[in-house]
Amino acid sequence: MTFRSPFPDETIPDQSVFDFLFGDLSDADARRVALVDGPSGAETTYGALKRQIELLAGALAARGIAPGEVVALHAPNVPAFATVFHGILRAGAAATTVNALYTAQEMQRQLEASHAKLVFTVGPLAETATAAAAGAGLRPESVIVLDGSPGLADLLREGHAAPDVTIDPATRVAAIPYSSGTTGFPKGVQLSHRNLVANVVQCTPELLDIRPDDRVLAFLPFFHIYGMTVLLNIALKRRAALVTMPRFDLQQFLQLIQDQKITFVFIAPPVAVALAKHPIVDQFDLSSLRGMMSGAAPFDEALGNAVATRLGITMQQGYGMSELSPVSHVIPAGQVGTMSVGSVGVLIPNQEGRIIDVDSGEEIEASPDGPSRSGELWLRGPNVMLGYLDDPESTARTVDADGYLHTGDIALINPDGSFQIVDRLKELIKYKGYQVPPAELEALLLTHPDIDDAAVVAAADEESGEIPKAFVVRREGAELDEDRVMAFVAEHVAPHKKVRAVAFIDAVPKSSSGKILRKDLKGR
């Protein structure tokens, strides 16, 4: 059977992201604070942000960036990120957001795959960005350091008017975040203007109660689709104030909530563990905080209730993925406390879902007497991606002819209409909300001269949710220990992809077709 949202469908405006977010900006809203730089306290109003976006779009056009081209954005959460991201879209180009933790090699791969023509970065990341751009064949002047010279301020002072751009929101690519796959390197997820606009509209105030007087702490990375939609787009559309935090530090996180009178925070489960258990939490006045929402990785009911009780707040959970722009499920704001926080909530408006038995292929029905049987979750709606960049085969495997996106996650539905994510059909490891593809780490491990074979699986970890654990077959006679294996991987990948546990085995268990039997390794 097809499951639908308990909320009525919403009308999706036929607008670009810029027109949708800023086209109706009133004089009163223009004076409201849009962005606060957490470390310095510097404020940017909505009116100033809109002007900066238009000037940046003009500067891009003056540099030959035409509609349909791609510009890379490689930065942590700073106010300038919002200006550049939306300036790229206002110019009719697509923004490919680069993980700020990437190595030069990983970034170069994304620049080449996305065909980026220009790169924006910040001073602390400039060395990585410059090396990546050079490796991708870009000229040195193609790298613009936002806080450098010339930097963002210089581009804005050029005073170029925003170009006159006409786009089809349904087909023009707005953003190309990269989503890790289990069979190789990350894939570019093509999201249209309509995808991004639709997901903001779908996350109605009845679901995500973000208000104009809210101050939202933005530490979830803007380069990730979660931060891109719920912070850069939803919070700005609601005219809330975003307080940016370049990197997560628990003490600074708590200090900003206290000093900036933060009212709402979006988190990932590892942060919830700290908030529930760390003694430092009691040293700060967090009374301004009214609500919190967790996403990006599984989150159990006991942990959610512990955070809500300790902080005296409402706690929600949601579900999504890059290919869904990303939100598909949310615990409604009005049902916090009555719907289990261990669930991911209900389907959002305009979203259809099915649960498919992975063995028989049959549709699973809901049961009035308890949770349904579990199966793979399929979803369809206006937030489903256009497809993977330059990869029609992967697109066809992921989105079927009827428009349903096969999530690869195993779910069930409860009698109250809420969904539970119980496992992953896909083999991605979720470390602190970041996706880690085991195949990429396995390929790297096999390049080590003292490793004959290797497999990487998810190992449960209380703080991080999951950690990558490597099972390694040593070359005969090799003197290779756990520390050397972990150090080797750490030299070649971003910090969140590092192997954090190693076991040595005689042989990697495999099926007759040669596939690694990961379930056998997880049982060890």
Side-chain angles (χ1 to χ4, degrees):
M1 63 183 298
T2 299
F3 303 111
R4 291 182 170 82
S5 174
F7 296 92
D9 282 353
E10 297 287 328
T11 300
I12 311 301
D14 190 32
Q15 292 180 294
S16 69
V17 172
F18 176 82
D19 288 341
F20 172 67
L21 292 182
F22 302 103
D24 62 349
L25 191 70
S26 68
D27 290 342
D29 284 342
R31 294 190 291 271
R32 300 185 66 87
V33 173
L35 296 158
V36 180
D37 179 62
S40 71
E43 298 181 346
T44 304
T45 65
Y46 274 90
L49 175 60
K50 182 180 180 182
R51 289 191 297 274
Q52 290 175 9
I53 290 168
E54 292 178 313
L55 289 168
L56 193 278
L60 288 173
R63 282 160 175 75
I65 298 298
E69 292 186 321
V70 178
V71 177
L73 177 50
H74 175 235
N77 285 16
V78 291
F81 193 111
T83 298
V84 176
F85 178 81
H86 285 296
I88 294 168
L89 273 58
R90 172 63 182 84
T96 186
T97 49
V98 183
N99 191 323
L101 301 177
Y102 267 5
T103 63
Q105 183 180 17
E106 290 169 316
M107 183 175 177
Q108 176 184 331
R109 192 180 299 128
Q110 182 170 335
L111 295 180
E112 292 172 336
S114 64
H115 317 293
K117 298 292 178 61
L118 203 63
V119 178
F120 284 94
T121 189
V122 293
L125 304 179
E127 183 177 350
T128 297
T130 300
L138 295 177
R139 299 186 307 274
E141 59 268 28
S142 297
V143 179
I144 299 172
V145 181
L146 294 172
D147 50 349
S149 181
L152 178 60
D154 300 288
L155 267 64
L156 301 182
R157 277 195 291 266
E158 291 175 0
H160 296 292
D164 185 11
V165 174
T166 301
I167 66 167
D168 177 3
T171 60
R172 177 56 55 85
V173 177
I176 312 175
Y178 271 67
S179 176
S180 295
T182 60
T183 57
F185 295 119
K187 298 186 287 292
V189 178
Q190 298 179 102
L191 301 176
S192 68
H193 283 258
R194 179 174 173 80
N195 288 150
L196 298 181
V197 168
N199 211 221
V200 174
V201 173
Q202 289 173 285
C203 295
T204 65
E206 290 78 17
L207 294 169
L208 285 179
D209 184 24
I210 302 300
R211 311 164 188 171
D213 58 351
D214 273 324
R215 294 176 72 82
V216 180
L217 184 56
F219 78 90
L220 290 174
F222 292 150
F223 60 73
H224 188 278
I225 188 62
Y226 183 7
M228 187 188 299
T229 291
V230 301
L231 297 171
L232 273 185
N233 292 346
I234 291 178
L236 291 178
K237 180 62 177 177
R238 306 280 174 83
R239 307 302 186 228
L242 282 175
V243 179
T244 62
M245 186 176 172
R247 66 179 184 85
F248 183 78
D249 172 84
L250 181 59
Q251 182 165 337
Q252 185 186 35
F253 172 86
L254 298 169
Q255 191 78 52
L256 284 173
I257 293 175
Q258 174 180 280
D259 296 350
Q260 291 289 338
K261 306 299 181 187
I262 299 298
T263 59
F264 204 96
V265 183
F266 293 91
I267 66 166
V271 177
V273 174
L275 293 176
K277 298 183 177 183
H278 203 292
I280 195 176
V281 174
D282 295 326
Q283 299 176 19
F284 294 86
D285 178 6
L286 309 181
S287 58
S288 61
L289 200 59
R290 67 174 182 85
M292 191 172 287
M293 177 177 164
S294 180
F299 181 83
D300 68 70
E301 184 171 19
L303 177 58
N305 288 334
V307 174
T309 299
R310 186 178 191 187
L311 302 184
I313 60 171
T314 60
M315 174 62 74
Q316 296 171 264
Q317 184 173 189
Y319 168 84
M321 54 195 299
S322 298
E323 292 85 344
L324 291 166
S325 306
V327 184
S328 63
H329 295 70
V330 177
I331 295 175
Q335 292 179 258
V336 172
T338 59
M339 184 173 286
S340 169
V341 73
S343 78
V344 296
V346 301
L347 287 165
I348 61 178
N350 307 70
Q351 193 84 75
E352 297 176 292
R354 293 176 178 173
I355 298 177
I356 306 297
D357 188 294
V358 296
D359 295 319
S360 68
E362 296 177 350
E363 293 188 33
I364 294 173
E365 297 186 359
S367 168
D369 302 319
S372 72
R373 292 186 293 118
S374 61
E376 185 183 6
L377 180 63
W378 293 7
L379 296 166
R380 180 170 68 180
N383 52 326
V384 173
M385 67 173 180
L386 295 177
Y388 294 117
L389 179 65
D390 296 334
D391 195 347
E393 291 183 2
S394 293
T395 300
R397 286 195 300 267
T398 305
V399 183
D400 64 30
D402 294 323
Y404 278 95
L405 186 140
H406 299 198
T407 68
D409 286 324
I410 305 300
L412 57 79
I413 185 169
N414 296 307
D416 64 357
S418 65
F419 286 69
Q420 202 100 15
I421 305 299
V422 296
D423 203 349
R424 281 195 300 281
L425 183 63
K426 296 183 295 185
E427 296 165 344
L428 282 177
I429 300 165
K430 283 286 188 77
Y431 174 74
K432 293 188 175 181
Y434 288 103
Q435 297 178 340
V436 182
E440 181 181 346
L441 295 179
E442 288 158 358
L444 173 61
L445 286 166
L446 290 175
T447 66
H448 194 291
D450 289 335
I451 294 177
D452 282 343
D453 204 357
V456 178
V457 301
D461 181 78
E462 183 178 359
E463 179 183 352
S464 305
E466 295 175 344
I467 59 172
K469 179 175 182 178
F471 287 85
V472 172
V473 180
R474 273 184 292 226
R475 179 180 57 82
E476 187 175 355
E479 295 182 0
L480 186 67
D481 60 19
E482 180 179 1
D483 290 340
R484 290 180 182 177
V485 172
M486 291 192 290
F488 172 75
V489 174
E491 289 175 5
H492 295 86
V493 300
H496 67 276
K497 294 182 183 178
K498 292 194 296 187
V499 167
R500 296 171 190 275
V502 177
F504 292 97
I505 55 178
D506 294 329
V508 173
K510 297 179 181 178
S511 68
S512 57
S513 62
K515 291 185 178 180
I516 296 172
L517 298 175
R518 299 182 196 279
K519 66 179 187 301
D520 293 355
L521 294 173
K522 288 182 179 180
R524 298 192 181 190

